[in-house]
Structures are given as structure tokens and as C-alpha cells.
Amino acid sequence: MRIVVDTNIVFSAILKSDSLISRIIMNSGNKLNFYSTDLLKLEIEEHNQKLLKLSGLSVTNLDKSISFISNRIRFIDAQFIPTKTLKKTEIMLYDIDINDVEFVALTDHIHGRLWSGDKVLINGLQKKNWKKFISTDELDQYLRMR
């Protein structure tokens, strides 16, 4: 199954290595394929000091946590997402959160599911009949059945 992870999911996994989110990413083997855009890397860099403060980890351990999580994700440059898909997604997200365009567009492009904890994004897109989300509980159940 192709799963696009957004920033809040990855931040949760980095901040709490013993969480269900982190365990799903780290222990899914080849049952789940995780994807994101390079935007995620930029957001990790941008919020590195905040992650360091919130996690209570040393710089070395935070870097290891980021590396472990990032190594399970296939990063796709947004330029490989068709312009038509990006434009359609921008229109759909203009009144929800334009910062999530790449994640939603990548989900459509790879025919995947978006794993996000962003309730505003989820609710806003569901109102527009976009239902390609998958929850942490659904992923956990999927892995338990496999």
C-alpha cells in the first residue's frame, strides 16, 4: 500500500520513538511504502531547533531519529508531480491549507492514501469529497491482519 506521510505524522514519529506512529513507520517491512515530497525535508530542517527542544533528545539522538524515520520514506521531488494535478490540488486547498498542496497532489499522483493528523485538512477535504485519507488506527489494523 502506498502511503503519503505529511509533516505532522513525521514530527510525531521523531518526537516519540515509542509511539504507535513511529512503530508503524519503522516496523511495517514491505507491507507499506511511505512517500513524501522534499518539502518534508525542508520542514524538518526549518523546525530542527523546535524538535530538539520538544523531544528532549541530544543533537546526536535527534539526528538519529530523523535519519531512521527518513530512511523509511521515499522522497519525491514535486516537479515530478504533473502540473495539472498540482493546479487542481491548489484550487481544492485554497480555503483549507495551501501548505499541504504537495502532500495531497502526491497522494493523487501515486494513487496512494494520505496519512495525516491534521484535522482541519482532513475535515476540509472530506467536505469536498476527497476521501483518500488513512488513519493511524486503520494502518495499525492493516499491519495486524498481514
Side-chain angles (χ1 to χ4, degrees):
M1 183 184 308
R2 295 176 180 161
I3 306 296
V4 175
V5 292
D6 73 359
T7 305
N8 65 53
I9 290 296
V10 173
F11 279 15
S12 293
I14 291 168
L15 290 171
K16 213 167 171 199
S17 61
D18 62 343
S19 69
L20 179 57
I21 290 171
S22 184
R23 288 195 310 268
I24 288 170
I25 293 173
M26 297 307 298
N27 300 320
S28 63
N30 61 359
K31 297 171 190 151
L32 298 173
N33 295 304
F34 298 104
Y35 297 84
S36 197
T37 68
D38 291 333
L39 175 62
L40 175 60
K41 290 179 185 179
L42 292 173
E43 289 184 337
I44 290 171
E45 281 180 38
E46 184 179 309
H47 297 285
N48 195 278
Q49 289 303 310
K50 185 177 180 180
L51 289 168
L52 190 61
K53 183 178 177 181
L54 290 173
S55 69
L57 297 170
S58 67
V59 172
T60 301
N61 286 339
L62 177 63
D63 288 345
K64 284 181 184 178
S65 181
I66 291 169
S67 180
F68 286 142
I69 298 298
S70 296
N71 285 335
R72 294 283 299 134
I73 301 168
R74 294 179 183 150
F75 289 92
I76 308 294
D77 189 320
Q79 73 177 346
F80 295 111
I81 301 171
T83 303
K84 183 178 179 180
T85 303
L86 285 166
K87 293 288 185 197
K88 178 182 147 198
T89 306
E90 284 175 8
I91 292 166
M92 190 169 46
L93 289 177
Y94 82 95
D95 61 343
I96 301 170
D97 189 348
I98 202 73
N99 295 320
D100 289 316
V101 166
E102 288 186 14
F103 301 121
V104 175
L106 180 61
T107 303
D108 282 339
H109 178 60
I110 66 168
H111 306 287
R113 305 284 298 276
L114 179 60
W115 186 15
S116 176
D118 185 338
K119 300 296 183 202
V120 172
L121 177 65
I122 293 168
N123 293 335
L125 284 173
Q126 284 177 336
K127 287 178 184 174
K128 294 183 179 194
N129 211 30
W130 195 90
K131 301 183 189 299
K132 298 175 186 171
F133 291 101
I134 193 159
S135 71
T136 302
D137 289 340
E138 289 170 319
L139 286 169
D140 185 39
Q141 288 175 359
Y142 177 82
L143 290 174
R144 289 175 191 268
M145 292 174 21
R146 301 265 180 244

